[in-house]
Amino acid sequence: MSGQQLTREIGKSGVIASAVGLGTWAIGGWMWGGTDETESISAIHASLDAGVALIDTAPAYGLGRSEEIVGKALAGRRDKAVIATKCGLVWHTDKGRHFFDQDGKPVHRYLGRDAIFHEVEESLRRLGTDYIDLYITHWQDPTTPIEETVRAVEDLKASGKIRAIGASNVSALELEAYISADGLDAIQERFSMIDREIESELLPLTRANGISTLSYSSLALGLLSGTVGPERIFSGDDQRRDNPRFSVSNRDKAQAFAKAIRPVADKHEASIAQVVIAWTLAQPGVTFALCGARNPAQALDNARAGTIRLDADDQSAIEAAISAKLTDMDR
C-alpha cells in the first residue's frame, strides 16, 4: 500500500519533517571515496522535489565540505528544507578528548559552551542560513558535564539560531542525563535490521519521554540495499573496503535476504532498499530514517520509501527473513 510522503514531528518542538531523511555523510566525501559536488547537489534537489525535506549533515563530514554542499543546494530553497546538523567534533581547538585525525587535522570530542557557540556560527555560514532546525551533539564529550552542554544549546534555541535539540551516539546513562536536564527533542542513533541494540534501553526511554529517534545507517552502509553483491570492489578511502561487515559471506547473506523479501517488494512495486527503509520507519520508537544518496536516482529511490505502508503480513514476512538470513553476520 502506498500513500503520501510520511511526515512526523521532531519531539515536541513543533518542527515537522519527512520521516525519510537524506543523510549527507557520503556527500562530504570523507571515508566514502570522494564526492561529486554537481551530483550531490542534484541528489539534494531530487530529494526536496520528492517531498524529502529532512536533510542531515555535520561539520565533521569532510571538515565542513558536506555542509557547504548542502548550503549551495539549498540556495533559494531554504524554506523547503528541515536542516539537521551537529556540533561536538571540533578541529579549531584541542580541548576535550582526541577522537580521530582527518586530512591531517586532529579532531576532538568537545561540547563546551565556547565550542558550541563557535561551531553554530561556522555551520550557519557554511549552510547559508540564519537558523538550524535540529542541532545535534554529534558524539558525547566525557570532559564536559551534559548540563553545561544543554544550557548552551538551550540558549541557542532561545536566540532563534536553532529550533530543536538533539543528541547522538548516547549511552542510556547519557540519555537519562539529557532527559534530566530537560529540553531534548531527539536522538540520532545507528539502527538497522542488523543493528538493533537501541531497542533494549534507548527506545523505551525515548518513547516514554516524547523524544524522537532518527536512525542512521538504516541500510547498514548499503549492505541491505539489495545492490551490493559479493563481486563489488571498494576502493580508496571507502570505509567499507576493510570492514568485516562487508565480507563476501555477509554480502551473500544480504543477497539471500533480498531474495527472501522480494515478494514484499513486488507487492508494493518497490525496491529492496525501499522495503528496508519502510520497515525501519514501522519499528516502535523509530521516528525518522536517514538514508544516504550521492545521485538523484538514489535519492528518488529512498524518497519512495516514505510513501510505503507495510501491513502486518509484510512485517511478519520481513522479520522471518531477518531471522533466517541475517543472523551470525561477521562484525
Side-chain angles (χ1 to χ4, degrees), residues 134-201:
L134 175 61
Y135 203 44
I136 303 166
T137 56
H138 200 161
W139 283 86
Q140 302 312 303
D141 164 26
T143 72
T144 302
I146 285 175
E147 292 77 9
E148 176 184 335
T149 298
V150 171
R151 284 196 297 272
V153 290
E154 285 182 333
D155 285 348
L156 291 180
K157 186 175 180 180
S159 72
K161 292 188 176 181
I162 69 174
R163 299 177 66 202
I165 298 168
S168 186
N169 301 301
V170 294
S171 67
L173 286 176
E174 288 165 339
L175 177 54
E176 288 171 346
Y178 272 101
I179 292 170
S180 295
D182 205 8
L184 190 68
D185 296 296
I187 62 170
Q188 184 177 133
E189 301 293 328
R190 184 173 74 166
F191 178 80
S192 73
M193 292 173 169
I194 52 178
D195 296 299
R196 302 178 69 166
E197 294 82 2
I198 67 171
E199 289 178 327
S200 61
E201 291 189 303

Short mmCIF file of all heavy atoms in Angstrom, two decimals, residues 134-201:
data_model
loop_
_atom_site.label_atom_id
_atom_site.label_comp_id
_atom_site.label_asym_id
_atom_site.label_seq_id
_atom_site.Cartn_x
_atom_site.Cartn_y
_atom_site.Cartn_z
N LEU A 134 17.31 21.46 13.56
CA LEU A 134 17.64 20.48 14.60
C LEU A 134 19.14 20.47 14.80
O LEU A 134 19.89 20.17 13.86
CB LEU A 134 17.15 19.09 14.20
CG LEU A 134 17.53 17.92 15.14
CD1 LEU A 134 16.96 18.14 16.55
CD2 LEU A 134 17.05 16.59 14.57
N TYR A 135 19.58 20.82 16.00
CA TYR A 135 21.01 20.90 16.31
C TYR A 135 21.36 19.76 17.26
O TYR A 135 20.79 19.64 18.34
CB TYR A 135 21.34 22.25 16.94
CG TYR A 135 22.78 22.67 16.81
CD1 TYR A 135 23.47 22.52 15.61
CD2 TYR A 135 23.45 23.25 17.88
CE1 TYR A 135 24.78 22.93 15.48
CE2 TYR A 135 24.76 23.67 17.77
CZ TYR A 135 25.43 23.51 16.57
OH TYR A 135 26.74 23.92 16.45
N ILE A 136 22.30 18.91 16.83
CA ILE A 136 22.56 17.64 17.49
C ILE A 136 23.99 17.58 18.01
O ILE A 136 24.93 17.92 17.28
CB ILE A 136 22.33 16.47 16.50
CG1 ILE A 136 20.92 16.52 15.92
CG2 ILE A 136 22.60 15.13 17.16
CD1 ILE A 136 20.73 15.63 14.69
N THR A 137 24.18 17.15 19.24
CA THR A 137 25.53 16.87 19.73
C THR A 137 25.98 15.55 19.11
O THR A 137 25.37 14.52 19.32
CB THR A 137 25.54 16.79 21.26
OG1 THR A 137 24.61 15.80 21.71
CG2 THR A 137 25.16 18.13 21.88
N HIS A 138 27.05 15.61 18.33
CA HIS A 138 27.41 14.51 17.42
C HIS A 138 27.92 13.28 18.17
O HIS A 138 27.44 12.17 17.96
CB HIS A 138 28.46 15.01 16.43
CG HIS A 138 28.57 14.17 15.20
ND1 HIS A 138 29.14 14.64 14.03
CD2 HIS A 138 28.17 12.91 14.92
CE1 HIS A 138 29.09 13.69 13.11
NE2 HIS A 138 28.51 12.64 13.62
N TRP A 139 28.95 13.46 18.97
CA TRP A 139 29.46 12.40 19.84
C TRP A 139 29.64 13.01 21.21
O TRP A 139 30.00 14.18 21.33
CB TRP A 139 30.79 11.84 19.32
CG TRP A 139 30.63 10.91 18.16
CD1 TRP A 139 30.56 11.24 16.84
CD2 TRP A 139 30.50 9.49 18.22
NE1 TRP A 139 30.39 10.13 16.06
CE2 TRP A 139 30.37 9.02 16.88
CE3 TRP A 139 30.50 8.55 19.25
CZ2 TRP A 139 30.23 7.67 16.55
CZ3 TRP A 139 30.37 7.21 18.94
CH2 TRP A 139 30.23 6.78 17.61
N GLN A 140 29.42 12.22 22.24
CA GLN A 140 29.40 12.78 23.58
C GLN A 140 30.82 13.01 24.12
O GLN A 140 31.75 12.27 23.80
CB GLN A 140 28.59 11.89 24.50
CG GLN A 140 27.16 11.69 24.03
CD GLN A 140 26.47 13.00 23.66
OE1 GLN A 140 26.37 13.91 24.49
NE2 GLN A 140 26.00 13.13 22.43
N ASP A 141 30.94 14.06 24.91
CA ASP A 141 32.22 14.53 25.43
C ASP A 141 32.31 14.23 26.92
O ASP A 141 31.63 14.87 27.71
CB ASP A 141 32.33 16.04 25.15
CG ASP A 141 33.42 16.71 25.97
OD1 ASP A 141 34.39 16.02 26.36
OD2 ASP A 141 33.31 17.93 26.19
N PRO A 142 33.14 13.28 27.31
CA PRO A 142 33.21 12.93 28.74
C PRO A 142 33.87 13.99 29.60
O PRO A 142 33.85 13.90 30.83
CB PRO A 142 34.04 11.64 28.73
CG PRO A 142 34.87 11.71 27.49
CD PRO A 142 34.01 12.42 26.49
N THR A 143 34.45 15.04 28.98
CA THR A 143 35.14 16.07 29.76
C THR A 143 34.22 17.26 30.10
O THR A 143 34.63 18.14 30.85
CB THR A 143 36.37 16.60 29.00
OG1 THR A 143 35.96 17.40 27.89
CG2 THR A 143 37.24 15.45 28.50
N THR A 144 33.03 17.29 29.54
CA THR A 144 32.10 18.40 29.78
C THR A 144 30.80 17.87 30.36
O THR A 144 30.20 16.95 29.80
CB THR A 144 31.79 19.16 28.46
OG1 THR A 144 33.01 19.62 27.90
CG2 THR A 144 30.87 20.34 28.72
N PRO A 145 30.33 18.44 31.48
CA PRO A 145 29.04 17.99 32.03
C PRO A 145 27.91 18.20 31.02
O PRO A 145 27.86 19.24 30.34
CB PRO A 145 28.85 18.88 33.27
CG PRO A 145 30.23 19.36 33.61
CD PRO A 145 30.96 19.49 32.31
N ILE A 146 27.02 17.25 30.93
CA ILE A 146 25.90 17.36 30.00
C ILE A 146 25.04 18.59 30.31
O ILE A 146 24.51 19.24 29.40
CB ILE A 146 25.07 16.06 30.01
CG1 ILE A 146 25.84 14.97 29.24
CG2 ILE A 146 23.69 16.26 29.40
CD1 ILE A 146 25.20 13.60 29.27
N GLU A 147 24.95 18.93 31.60
CA GLU A 147 24.16 20.11 31.97
C GLU A 147 24.70 21.37 31.30
O GLU A 147 23.93 22.24 30.86
CB GLU A 147 24.15 20.28 33.49
CG GLU A 147 23.40 19.20 34.24
CD GLU A 147 24.19 17.89 34.36
OE1 GLU A 147 25.40 17.87 34.00
OE2 GLU A 147 23.59 16.89 34.79
N GLU A 148 26.03 21.50 31.20
CA GLU A 148 26.63 22.67 30.54
C GLU A 148 26.29 22.67 29.06
O GLU A 148 25.94 23.71 28.49
CB GLU A 148 28.14 22.67 30.72
CG GLU A 148 28.84 23.81 29.97
CD GLU A 148 30.36 23.76 30.05
OE1 GLU A 148 30.89 23.18 31.02
OE2 GLU A 148 31.02 24.32 29.14
N THR A 149 26.39 21.51 28.45
CA THR A 149 26.07 21.39 27.03
C THR A 149 24.62 21.76 26.76
O THR A 149 24.32 22.52 25.83
CB THR A 149 26.35 19.96 26.55
OG1 THR A 149 27.74 19.67 26.72
CG2 THR A 149 25.96 19.78 25.10
N VAL A 150 23.72 21.24 27.58
CA VAL A 150 22.29 21.52 27.39
C VAL A 150 21.99 23.00 27.57
O VAL A 150 21.23 23.58 26.79
CB VAL A 150 21.44 20.65 28.34
CG1 VAL A 150 19.98 21.09 28.30
CG2 VAL A 150 21.56 19.18 27.99
N ARG A 151 22.60 23.63 28.57
CA ARG A 151 22.36 25.06 28.77
C ARG A 151 22.81 25.86 27.55
O ARG A 151 22.13 26.81 27.13
CB ARG A 151 23.09 25.55 30.02
CG ARG A 151 22.42 25.16 31.33
CD ARG A 151 22.95 25.98 32.49
NE ARG A 151 24.39 25.74 32.70
CZ ARG A 151 24.89 24.78 33.47
NH1 ARG A 151 24.08 23.94 34.09
NH2 ARG A 151 26.19 24.66 33.62
N ALA A 152 23.92 25.46 26.95
CA ALA A 152 24.42 26.18 25.77
C ALA A 152 23.46 26.06 24.60
O ALA A 152 23.13 27.07 23.95
CB ALA A 152 25.80 25.64 25.39
N VAL A 153 23.00 24.84 24.30
CA VAL A 153 22.10 24.69 23.14
C VAL A 153 20.73 25.29 23.43
O VAL A 153 20.06 25.80 22.52
CB VAL A 153 22.00 23.22 22.69
CG1 VAL A 153 23.31 22.76 22.07
CG2 VAL A 153 21.59 22.29 23.82
N GLU A 154 20.30 25.28 24.68
CA GLU A 154 19.04 25.94 25.01
C GLU A 154 19.14 27.45 24.80
O GLU A 154 18.17 28.08 24.35
CB GLU A 154 18.63 25.62 26.45
CG GLU A 154 18.09 24.21 26.63
CD GLU A 154 17.64 23.92 28.04
OE1 GLU A 154 18.17 24.57 28.98
OE2 GLU A 154 16.76 23.05 28.21
N ASP A 155 20.31 28.02 25.10
CA ASP A 155 20.50 29.45 24.84
C ASP A 155 20.46 29.74 23.35
O ASP A 155 19.93 30.78 22.92
CB ASP A 155 21.81 29.93 25.45
CG ASP A 155 21.74 30.05 26.98
OD1 ASP A 155 20.62 30.00 27.52
OD2 ASP A 155 22.81 30.17 27.60
N LEU A 156 21.01 28.83 22.54
CA LEU A 156 20.94 28.99 21.10
C LEU A 156 19.49 28.93 20.63
O LEU A 156 19.08 29.69 19.74
CB LEU A 156 21.76 27.91 20.39
CG LEU A 156 23.27 27.97 20.53
CD1 LEU A 156 23.91 26.82 19.76
CD2 LEU A 156 23.82 29.30 20.02
N LYS A 157 18.71 28.04 21.23
CA LYS A 157 17.30 27.93 20.87
C LYS A 157 16.55 29.20 21.25
O LYS A 157 15.73 29.73 20.47
CB LYS A 157 16.68 26.71 21.54
CG LYS A 157 15.25 26.43 21.12
CD LYS A 157 14.75 25.13 21.73
CE LYS A 157 13.32 24.82 21.31
NZ LYS A 157 12.82 23.54 21.92
N ALA A 158 16.84 29.73 22.42
CA ALA A 158 16.17 30.96 22.87
C ALA A 158 16.50 32.14 21.96
O ALA A 158 15.68 33.04 21.77
CB ALA A 158 16.56 31.27 24.31
N SER A 159 17.70 32.11 21.37
CA SER A 159 18.12 33.21 20.50
C SER A 159 17.58 33.06 19.08
O SER A 159 17.73 33.97 18.26
CB SER A 159 19.65 33.27 20.43
OG SER A 159 20.17 32.19 19.68
N GLY A 160 16.95 31.91 18.77
CA GLY A 160 16.40 31.68 17.44
C GLY A 160 17.36 31.07 16.45
O GLY A 160 17.00 30.89 15.28
N LYS A 161 18.55 30.72 16.88
CA LYS A 161 19.53 30.15 15.95
C LYS A 161 19.28 28.67 15.69
O LYS A 161 19.72 28.14 14.67
CB LYS A 161 20.95 30.39 16.45
CG LYS A 161 21.33 31.85 16.42
CD LYS A 161 22.78 32.11 16.72
CE LYS A 161 23.09 33.60 16.56
NZ LYS A 161 24.52 33.89 16.82
N ILE A 162 18.61 28.00 16.60
CA ILE A 162 18.20 26.62 16.39
C ILE A 162 16.75 26.47 16.84
O ILE A 162 16.24 27.27 17.64
CB ILE A 162 19.10 25.61 17.13
CG1 ILE A 162 18.92 25.72 18.65
CG2 ILE A 162 20.56 25.81 16.76
CD1 ILE A 162 19.67 24.64 19.45
N ARG A 163 16.06 25.43 16.32
CA ARG A 163 14.65 25.25 16.65
C ARG A 163 14.39 24.02 17.51
O ARG A 163 13.36 23.94 18.18
CB ARG A 163 13.83 25.14 15.36
CG ARG A 163 13.91 26.36 14.47
CD ARG A 163 13.14 26.13 13.18
NE ARG A 163 11.71 25.99 13.40
CZ ARG A 163 10.87 25.39 12.56
NH1 ARG A 163 11.33 24.84 11.43
NH2 ARG A 163 9.59 25.31 12.83
N ALA A 164 15.28 23.05 17.47
CA ALA A 164 15.10 21.82 18.24
C ALA A 164 16.47 21.28 18.61
O ALA A 164 17.48 21.59 17.96
CB ALA A 164 14.31 20.78 17.44
N ILE A 165 16.51 20.45 19.66
CA ILE A 165 17.77 19.98 20.24
C ILE A 165 17.83 18.47 20.17
O ILE A 165 16.87 17.77 20.53
CB ILE A 165 17.89 20.44 21.71
CG1 ILE A 165 17.92 21.97 21.78
CG2 ILE A 165 19.13 19.85 22.37
CD1 ILE A 165 17.74 22.51 23.19
N GLY A 166 18.98 17.96 19.72
CA GLY A 166 19.17 16.52 19.64
C GLY A 166 20.51 16.09 20.21
O GLY A 166 21.41 16.91 20.44
N ALA A 167 20.65 14.79 20.42
CA ALA A 167 21.91 14.20 20.89
C ALA A 167 22.12 12.89 20.14
O ALA A 167 21.16 12.16 19.87
CB ALA A 167 21.88 13.95 22.40
N SER A 168 23.36 12.60 19.80
CA SER A 168 23.65 11.41 19.02
C SER A 168 24.70 10.55 19.71
O SER A 168 25.54 11.06 20.47
CB SER A 168 24.15 11.82 17.63
OG SER A 168 24.32 10.69 16.80
N ASN A 169 24.63 9.26 19.44
CA ASN A 169 25.61 8.30 19.96
C ASN A 169 25.71 8.38 21.48
O ASN A 169 26.78 8.57 22.06
CB ASN A 169 26.98 8.56 19.31
CG ASN A 169 26.92 8.44 17.80
OD1 ASN A 169 26.57 7.40 17.27
ND2 ASN A 169 27.25 9.52 17.10
N VAL A 170 24.55 8.22 22.11
CA VAL A 170 24.47 8.32 23.57
C VAL A 170 24.31 6.94 24.20
O VAL A 170 23.74 6.03 23.60
CB VAL A 170 23.29 9.21 24.02
CG1 VAL A 170 23.51 10.65 23.61
CG2 VAL A 170 21.96 8.69 23.49
N SER A 171 24.81 6.82 25.41
CA SER A 171 24.51 5.64 26.23
C SER A 171 23.20 5.89 26.95
O SER A 171 22.67 7.02 26.95
CB SER A 171 25.62 5.42 27.25
OG SER A 171 25.63 6.49 28.20
N ALA A 172 22.66 4.86 27.59
CA ALA A 172 21.43 5.04 28.35
C ALA A 172 21.63 6.05 29.48
O ALA A 172 20.76 6.88 29.75
CB ALA A 172 20.95 3.70 28.90
N LEU A 173 22.79 6.00 30.13
CA LEU A 173 23.07 6.93 31.22
C LEU A 173 23.15 8.36 30.70
O LEU A 173 22.64 9.30 31.34
CB LEU A 173 24.37 6.56 31.93
CG LEU A 173 24.31 5.34 32.85
CD1 LEU A 173 25.70 5.02 33.41
CD2 LEU A 173 23.33 5.57 34.00
N GLU A 174 23.77 8.54 29.55
CA GLU A 174 23.85 9.89 28.97
C GLU A 174 22.48 10.39 28.56
O GLU A 174 22.14 11.56 28.77
CB GLU A 174 24.81 9.88 27.78
CG GLU A 174 26.27 9.74 28.19
CD GLU A 174 27.18 9.37 27.03
OE1 GLU A 174 26.68 8.84 26.01
OE2 GLU A 174 28.39 9.60 27.16
N LEU A 175 21.67 9.50 27.99
CA LEU A 175 20.31 9.91 27.62
C LEU A 175 19.52 10.31 28.86
O LEU A 175 18.79 11.32 28.84
CB LEU A 175 19.61 8.78 26.87
CG LEU A 175 18.15 9.03 26.48
CD1 LEU A 175 18.00 10.31 25.68
CD2 LEU A 175 17.60 7.84 25.70
N GLU A 176 19.66 9.56 29.94
CA GLU A 176 18.95 9.92 31.17
C GLU A 176 19.40 11.29 31.68
O GLU A 176 18.59 12.07 32.19
CB GLU A 176 19.19 8.84 32.22
CG GLU A 176 18.43 7.54 31.93
CD GLU A 176 18.83 6.40 32.85
OE1 GLU A 176 19.87 6.53 33.54
OE2 GLU A 176 18.10 5.39 32.88
N ALA A 177 20.70 11.58 31.52
CA ALA A 177 21.20 12.90 31.94
C ALA A 177 20.62 14.01 31.09
O ALA A 177 20.25 15.08 31.59
CB ALA A 177 22.73 12.92 31.88
N TYR A 178 20.50 13.79 29.79
CA TYR A 178 19.87 14.78 28.90
C TYR A 178 18.40 14.97 29.29
O TYR A 178 17.89 16.10 29.32
CB TYR A 178 19.95 14.33 27.45
CG TYR A 178 21.20 14.75 26.72
CD1 TYR A 178 22.25 13.87 26.52
CD2 TYR A 178 21.33 16.04 26.20
CE1 TYR A 178 23.40 14.25 25.83
CE2 TYR A 178 22.47 16.44 25.51
CZ TYR A 178 23.49 15.53 25.33
OH TYR A 178 24.61 15.93 24.65
N ILE A 179 17.72 13.88 29.58
CA ILE A 179 16.31 13.97 29.96
C ILE A 179 16.17 14.75 31.26
O ILE A 179 15.28 15.60 31.41
CB ILE A 179 15.70 12.57 30.08
CG1 ILE A 179 15.61 11.91 28.69
CG2 ILE A 179 14.31 12.62 30.72
CD1 ILE A 179 15.24 10.44 28.72
N SER A 180 17.06 14.50 32.20
CA SER A 180 17.01 15.22 33.48
C SER A 180 17.26 16.71 33.30
O SER A 180 16.69 17.54 34.00
CB SER A 180 18.05 14.64 34.45
OG SER A 180 17.74 13.30 34.78
N ALA A 181 18.14 17.04 32.34
CA ALA A 181 18.43 18.45 32.07
C ALA A 181 17.31 19.13 31.30
O ALA A 181 17.28 20.37 31.21
CB ALA A 181 19.73 18.57 31.30
N ASP A 182 16.41 18.33 30.73
CA ASP A 182 15.21 18.79 30.03
C ASP A 182 15.58 19.43 28.68
O ASP A 182 16.71 19.82 28.43
CB ASP A 182 14.41 19.78 30.88
CG ASP A 182 12.94 19.82 30.51
OD1 ASP A 182 12.52 18.98 29.69
OD2 ASP A 182 12.22 20.68 31.04
N GLY A 183 14.59 19.50 27.79
CA GLY A 183 14.75 20.20 26.53
C GLY A 183 15.11 19.34 25.34
O GLY A 183 15.14 19.83 24.22
N LEU A 184 15.40 18.04 25.54
CA LEU A 184 15.83 17.20 24.42
C LEU A 184 14.64 16.81 23.55
O LEU A 184 13.62 16.32 24.04
CB LEU A 184 16.51 15.93 24.95
CG LEU A 184 17.22 15.07 23.89
CD1 LEU A 184 18.43 15.79 23.33
CD2 LEU A 184 17.64 13.73 24.49
N ASP A 185 14.79 17.01 22.24
CA ASP A 185 13.72 16.68 21.30
C ASP A 185 13.97 15.38 20.55
O ASP A 185 13.01 14.73 20.11
CB ASP A 185 13.57 17.81 20.27
CG ASP A 185 13.14 19.11 20.90
OD1 ASP A 185 12.03 19.16 21.45
OD2 ASP A 185 13.92 20.08 20.85
N ALA A 186 15.24 15.00 20.37
CA ALA A 186 15.53 13.84 19.52
C ALA A 186 16.88 13.24 19.85
O ALA A 186 17.78 13.92 20.37
CB ALA A 186 15.51 14.24 18.05
N ILE A 187 17.03 11.95 19.53
CA ILE A 187 18.34 11.32 19.50
C ILE A 187 18.57 10.79 18.08
O ILE A 187 17.62 10.55 17.34
CB ILE A 187 18.50 10.18 20.53
CG1 ILE A 187 17.50 9.04 20.25
CG2 ILE A 187 18.37 10.72 21.94
CD1 ILE A 187 17.76 7.78 21.09
N GLN A 188 19.82 10.65 17.73
CA GLN A 188 20.18 10.06 16.44
C GLN A 188 21.14 8.91 16.71
O GLN A 188 22.21 9.11 17.29
CB GLN A 188 20.84 11.10 15.53
CG GLN A 188 21.13 10.58 14.14
CD GLN A 188 21.72 11.63 13.22
OE1 GLN A 188 22.71 11.38 12.54
NE2 GLN A 188 21.13 12.81 13.20
N GLU A 189 20.73 7.71 16.30
CA GLU A 189 21.50 6.51 16.65
C GLU A 189 21.55 5.55 15.46
O GLU A 189 20.66 5.53 14.62
CB GLU A 189 20.85 5.79 17.84
CG GLU A 189 20.74 6.62 19.09
CD GLU A 189 22.09 6.96 19.72
OE1 GLU A 189 23.03 6.13 19.61
OE2 GLU A 189 22.20 8.06 20.31
N ARG A 190 22.59 4.72 15.46
CA ARG A 190 22.66 3.67 14.45
C ARG A 190 21.58 2.64 14.72
O ARG A 190 21.44 2.15 15.82
CB ARG A 190 24.04 3.00 14.48
CG ARG A 190 24.21 1.97 13.37
CD ARG A 190 25.61 1.43 13.31
NE ARG A 190 25.89 0.51 14.40
CZ ARG A 190 26.95 -0.30 14.43
NH1 ARG A 190 27.83 -0.29 13.45
NH2 ARG A 190 27.13 -1.11 15.46
N PHE A 191 20.81 2.34 13.68
CA PHE A 191 19.76 1.33 13.81
C PHE A 191 19.46 0.77 12.44
O PHE A 191 19.29 1.51 11.47
CB PHE A 191 18.48 1.93 14.40
CG PHE A 191 17.35 0.94 14.49
CD1 PHE A 191 17.30 0.03 15.53
CD2 PHE A 191 16.36 0.90 13.52
CE1 PHE A 191 16.26 -0.91 15.61
CE2 PHE A 191 15.33 -0.02 13.58
CZ PHE A 191 15.28 -0.94 14.64
N SER A 192 19.42 -0.53 12.36
CA SER A 192 19.03 -1.21 11.13
C SER A 192 18.59 -2.62 11.49
O SER A 192 18.59 -3.01 12.67
CB SER A 192 20.20 -1.27 10.13
OG SER A 192 21.18 -2.22 10.55
N MET A 193 18.24 -3.39 10.50
CA MET A 193 17.85 -4.79 10.72
C MET A 193 18.95 -5.61 11.39
O MET A 193 18.66 -6.62 12.04
CB MET A 193 17.48 -5.43 9.39
CG MET A 193 16.22 -4.87 8.77
SD MET A 193 15.95 -5.53 7.12
CE MET A 193 14.27 -4.96 6.81
N ILE A 194 20.19 -5.19 11.23
CA ILE A 194 21.31 -5.93 11.83
C ILE A 194 21.99 -5.14 12.94
O ILE A 194 23.01 -5.56 13.47
CB ILE A 194 22.33 -6.37 10.77
CG1 ILE A 194 22.78 -5.19 9.92
CG2 ILE A 194 21.74 -7.45 9.89
CD1 ILE A 194 23.83 -5.55 8.88
N ASP A 195 21.43 -3.99 13.31
CA ASP A 195 21.94 -3.16 14.41
C ASP A 195 20.75 -2.71 15.24
O ASP A 195 20.25 -1.60 15.06
CB ASP A 195 22.71 -1.95 13.86
CG ASP A 195 23.95 -2.33 13.09
OD1 ASP A 195 24.85 -2.95 13.68
OD2 ASP A 195 24.00 -2.03 11.88
N ARG A 196 20.30 -3.56 16.15
CA ARG A 196 19.07 -3.29 16.87
C ARG A 196 19.27 -3.11 18.36
O ARG A 196 18.34 -3.19 19.16
CB ARG A 196 18.07 -4.43 16.60
CG ARG A 196 17.76 -4.61 15.12
CD ARG A 196 16.82 -5.75 14.81
NE ARG A 196 15.46 -5.50 15.27
CZ ARG A 196 14.40 -6.22 14.88
NH1 ARG A 196 14.56 -7.22 14.01
NH2 ARG A 196 13.19 -5.93 15.34
N GLU A 197 20.52 -2.78 18.76
CA GLU A 197 20.84 -2.68 20.18
C GLU A 197 20.01 -1.63 20.92
O GLU A 197 19.73 -1.78 22.10
CB GLU A 197 22.33 -2.38 20.36
CG GLU A 197 23.27 -3.48 19.91
CD GLU A 197 23.54 -3.50 18.40
OE1 GLU A 197 23.01 -2.60 17.70
OE2 GLU A 197 24.26 -4.40 17.94
N ILE A 198 19.63 -0.55 20.22
CA ILE A 198 18.91 0.53 20.91
C ILE A 198 17.51 0.12 21.34
O ILE A 198 16.87 0.82 22.13
CB ILE A 198 18.86 1.81 20.06
CG1 ILE A 198 17.99 1.62 18.82
CG2 ILE A 198 20.24 2.28 19.69
CD1 ILE A 198 17.72 2.92 18.06
N GLU A 199 17.01 -1.01 20.82
CA GLU A 199 15.66 -1.43 21.19
C GLU A 199 15.55 -1.78 22.67
O GLU A 199 14.47 -1.65 23.26
CB GLU A 199 15.25 -2.65 20.36
CG GLU A 199 14.98 -2.34 18.90
CD GLU A 199 14.61 -3.56 18.08
OE1 GLU A 199 15.11 -4.66 18.38
OE2 GLU A 199 13.80 -3.42 17.15
N SER A 200 16.66 -2.19 23.30
CA SER A 200 16.58 -2.67 24.67
C SER A 200 16.57 -1.55 25.71
O SER A 200 15.85 -1.64 26.71
CB SER A 200 17.73 -3.63 24.97
OG SER A 200 18.98 -2.98 24.81
N GLU A 201 17.36 -0.46 25.49
CA GLU A 201 17.47 0.57 26.51
C GLU A 201 17.06 1.96 26.04
O GLU A 201 16.33 2.65 26.74
CB GLU A 201 18.92 0.63 27.03
CG GLU A 201 19.34 -0.58 27.86
CD GLU A 201 20.68 -0.35 28.52
OE1 GLU A 201 21.66 -0.07 27.80
OE2 GLU A 201 20.76 -0.43 29.76
#
